[in-house]
Amino acid sequence: MAESESNPTRAFVIGHPIGHSRSPLIHGYWLRLAGLPGSYQPVEVAPAELPVFIRALKDGSSGFAGGNVTIPHKEAVLDLVDEADPVAREIGAANTLWCENGRVMATNTDSHGFSANLDHQAPGWDTGRTAVILGAGGASRAIIHALLSRGFSTVHVVNRTETRARALVEAFGPRLQAHAMAELPVLLRGADLFVNTTSLGMDGYAVPEIDFTVMNPQALVTDIVYVPLETPILAMARRQGLKTVDGLGMLLHQAAPGFEKWFGTRPEVTPDLRRLIIADMEAHT
């Protein structure tokens, strides 16, 4: 959606709470870099207020061209928009909305963000065929979508509660296998990719020792958590000689498709943007 000086495009990020979001910093950077007069602002929306907010987006009274959706609205918003694309439906959540011919459309760019981050930081990561995902929460669904889209033939989902992992297997099909945590050491043998989608190590508790050295020698270990930038799991893998990629790039790359939808130009994820977000993270630790 293009904009003009007289009628600049406005975009949003909604969540509850929303003060923690770094999306305004990212999109504000791109707006300044492109010299565009638009705006991107955080809006606190409680769950009970979500239908009202989406109605205002539909009828134009909100003044927004679209925006991002974060916790806890990613799933609920699917039932309120006019149309969600196949990616959002497969993942079961939406994080990006835009208005098109009087209708509110939805997609999920987390799968794209995950893949684009690894494309940039570890080219060739998708030549592997076996992946191990730790965690079976909502964030895992976008990662699974990305891995299946890139041709991984076997995806092991490991979770403390095996029944949650089984639910993902039922949703995504035969290339997935569900496992309990006790099976992790065996599953890592020869694996090409390990992805942590949990907050393990972030809650003050020690991370259990994981032997990553049994993985494929060219294997990659990544984490979708990005605060801290090097999580305990990434630090462990690095000490064992494995290549690692942090999760900050996923946050940056998932933002680009939405910016293009609202402001009409595709932004780049640059080292300067990464430094800006890291500086903000360090300022708030």
Side-chain angles (χ1 to χ4, degrees):
M1 179 176 291
E3 59 186 75
S4 65
E5 291 285 349
S6 59
N7 187 28
T9 298
R10 296 174 61 224
F12 61 81
V13 56
I14 56 170
H16 184 71
I18 198 58
H20 67 283
S21 176
R22 289 186 168 85
S23 292
L25 198 57
I26 296 168
H27 291 283
Y29 169 87
W30 282 332
L31 284 167
R32 291 190 301 275
L33 197 64
L36 296 173
S39 66
Y40 182 100
Q41 65 190 80
V43 181
E44 182 89 19
V45 176
E49 300 166 349
L50 184 61
V52 176
F53 182 89
I54 298 300
R55 279 200 297 273
L57 185 60
K58 288 182 179 182
D59 65 25
S61 60
S62 72
F64 289 113
N68 287 125
V69 181
T70 190
I71 295 171
H73 304 314
K74 286 185 171 187
E75 291 83 16
V77 78
L78 281 180
D79 294 326
L80 300 173
V81 299
D82 293 301
E83 183 179 338
D85 72 2
V87 176
R89 290 293 176 194
E90 288 171 28
I91 294 173
N95 73 341
T96 303
L97 309 179
W98 71 98
C99 298
E100 189 175 296
N101 300 321
R103 306 174 77 228
V104 176
M105 317 295 283
T107 189
N108 190 310
T109 64
D110 285 332
S111 174
H112 162 80
F114 176 80
S115 296
N117 180 36
L118 298 190
D119 287 342
H120 181 69
Q121 301 285 352
W125 69 275
D126 55 353
T127 58
R129 286 296 168 260
T130 302
V132 178
I133 296 178
L134 185 60
S140 302
R141 298 179 70 93
I143 308 307
I144 291 166
H145 180 275
L147 298 183
L148 296 182
S149 298
R150 287 301 185 93
F152 279 80
S153 56
T154 304
V155 179
H156 299 291
V157 182
V158 181
N159 198 56
R160 291 179 188 174
T161 308
E162 193 177 346
T163 51
R164 291 196 70 179
R166 287 200 203 101
L168 288 181
V169 171
E170 292 172 6
F172 284 94
R175 283 188 280 170
L176 265 67
Q177 297 178 23
H179 305 274
M181 283 289 289
E183 298 176 66
L184 182 59
V186 173
L187 297 172
L188 285 175
R189 292 176 187 166
D192 303 297
L193 177 69
F194 177 89
V195 186
N196 178 48
T197 70
T198 74
S199 58
L200 196 62
M202 301 296 103
D203 51 12
Y205 294 98
V207 179
E209 190 66 28
I210 300 173
D211 183 8
F212 292 111
T213 64
V214 299
M215 296 180 72
N216 181 324
Q218 284 75 48
L220 176 69
V221 175
T222 188
D223 200 320
I224 67 169
V225 173
Y226 58 89
V227 180
L229 204 55
E230 184 176 68
T231 63
I233 283 179
L234 291 184
M236 186 185 304
R238 179 181 52 78
R239 287 194 299 269
Q240 294 178 28
L242 274 290
K243 180 175 177 57
T244 63
V245 173
D246 63 64
L248 179 56
M250 178 178 171
L251 172 72
L252 305 180
H253 283 282
Q254 65 79 28
F259 188 93
E260 184 176 22
K261 288 282 188 188
W262 313 315
F263 301 111
T265 182
R266 184 75 168 203
E268 288 187 30
V269 174
T270 60
D272 280 344
L273 175 59
R274 182 178 168 89
R275 283 191 289 269
L276 175 70
I277 303 303
I278 291 173
D280 181 71
M281 288 161 52
E282 291 174 345
H284 291 88
T285 53

